[in-house]
Amino acid sequence: MKDLIKEITFLTTTILILGLFSSFSTDSTKENSQALRNIEALSEGENTMKKLLLITGDIATGKSTFANILSKRYHTNMFFKDSIKEVLGDTIGFSNREENKKLSFASMELMFYIFSEFASLEKDLILESNFHKSELERLHKIAEDNGYDVLTIALFGDVEVLHERYLNRMANENRHPVHLSTTIDKFEDFKKCSDYMRRIEIPGEVMQINATNFEYQSNEEVLAKIDAFMTK
């Protein structure tokens, strides 16, 4: 157990360091200019509260991609639960579904720890996962204790379209083994998972987005609403 704790502590430090640099690279001069404009807007406004963006919702709605877009737009650090779980899976390993679930639990605990550490640095942050109600409530409590303003972006879409997208991802993308122990390749199970996510009562300010297609990721009206939150 002590060795496991040491491994997780080392991984947490590594993840934090990677996160500090994850949002500072952009793909083009245009993105660089946009990031600088948004930083200027944040610094010139009365932005007294730090910001936490939580991105959640259905599977296969483009949550990670959208988090990356927003990270570049606001020059803000981001962390994905799936990425943390992959690091834990590679380092600690797992041999069955129950051990995989323990990795998921440990990944969320690290997300809470990461947010607490960033809060002490007074940094804005983006976190992405299929958050459960208790996890959202815990993140909101940390935010409240540390003077953060929170916006939860919930992505949902047509379940049949999302299921087809998920199957295509599993078949054609090099998915990490930690994501391959579920049974949601079956439509009935996928729909149950989606129905569960839609029943979650999300606390605080929420922005619901239809992610049946990916047009929302560049939709100026959508981005303007998030801009308004980040600069208020």
Side-chain angles (χ1 to χ4, degrees):
M1 179 59 72
K2 289 182 179 179
D3 290 339
L4 178 59
I5 292 172
K6 287 180 180 178
E7 283 187 278
I8 291 178
T9 302
F10 171 76
L11 289 169
T12 302
T13 303
T14 303
I15 289 167
L16 282 168
I17 292 171
L18 289 173
L20 285 171
F21 295 100
S22 65
S23 62
F24 298 147
S25 62
T26 55
D27 297 329
S28 68
T29 304
K30 181 179 179 181
E31 288 178 336
N32 250 329
S33 299
Q34 180 65 62
L36 288 172
R37 286 196 296 272
N38 286 310
I39 292 169
E40 289 171 359
L42 290 172
S43 63
E44 291 172 1
E46 296 179 2
N47 185 36
T48 56
M49 291 191 73
K50 303 175 290 290
K51 299 298 190 289
L52 173 66
L53 287 178
L54 300 176
I55 301 180
T56 189
D58 278 339
I59 295 169
T61 50
K63 295 186 297 297
S64 297
T65 300
F66 196 43
N68 189 54
I69 289 169
L70 297 180
S71 173
K72 292 177 179 179
R73 186 175 181 88
Y74 305 117
H75 217 242
T76 301
N77 297 286
M78 61 182 174
F79 290 94
F80 309 138
K81 177 191 170 186
D82 280 358
S83 297
I84 296 173
K85 186 177 179 181
E86 289 167 10
V87 175
L88 294 178
D90 287 339
T91 307
I92 299 171
F94 69 99
S95 59
N96 54 53
R97 178 61 178 158
E98 288 307 309
E99 291 181 359
N100 187 290
K101 289 180 178 179
K102 290 180 180 179
L103 292 181
S104 290
F105 176 80
S107 299
M108 275 310 310
E109 288 298 314
L110 286 172
M111 293 272 272
F112 298 137
Y113 177 76
I114 287 167
F115 180 29
S116 297
E117 290 299 300
F118 267 82
S120 68
L121 298 173
E122 299 191 344
K123 287 182 172 288
D124 294 341
L125 190 61
I126 298 171
L127 299 177
E128 180 273 322
S129 177
N130 301 100
F131 293 111
H132 295 198
K133 181 179 179 181
S134 61
E135 296 164 349
L136 290 167
E137 290 174 343
R138 190 167 168 186
L139 288 168
H140 271 262
K141 182 63 169 62
I142 298 172
E144 181 181 352
D145 290 344
N146 290 276
Y148 272 76
D149 204 2
V150 184
L151 172 64
T152 302
I153 299 172
L155 304 178
F156 298 100
D158 182 277
V159 178
E160 292 186 359
V161 173
L162 298 180
H163 183 243
E164 285 298 319
R165 188 182 294 162
Y166 172 78
L167 292 179
N168 182 67
R169 176 193 292 176
M170 292 299 103
N172 300 310
E173 296 181 14
N174 187 24
R175 298 290 287 172
H176 194 281
V178 295
H179 307 309
L180 303 179
S181 67
T182 66
T183 61
I184 57 174
D185 54 317
K186 301 174 183 176
F187 179 75
E188 294 78 9
D189 293 333
F190 188 92
K191 187 175 186 305
K192 286 179 182 178
C193 180
S194 177
D195 290 343
Y196 168 78
M197 290 302 301
R198 294 168 194 231
R199 289 195 301 269
I200 292 175
E201 297 179 11
I202 301 175
E205 186 176 353
V206 183
M207 183 176 178
Q208 300 268 1
I209 298 176
N210 187 332
T212 301
N213 60 59
F214 293 134
E215 292 177 4
Y216 75 91
Q217 295 178 349
S218 58
N219 184 288
E220 288 302 322
E221 184 177 349
V222 168
L223 294 173
K225 290 179 180 178
I226 303 173
D227 287 347
F229 168 79
M230 293 298 292
T231 56
K232 71 177 182 180

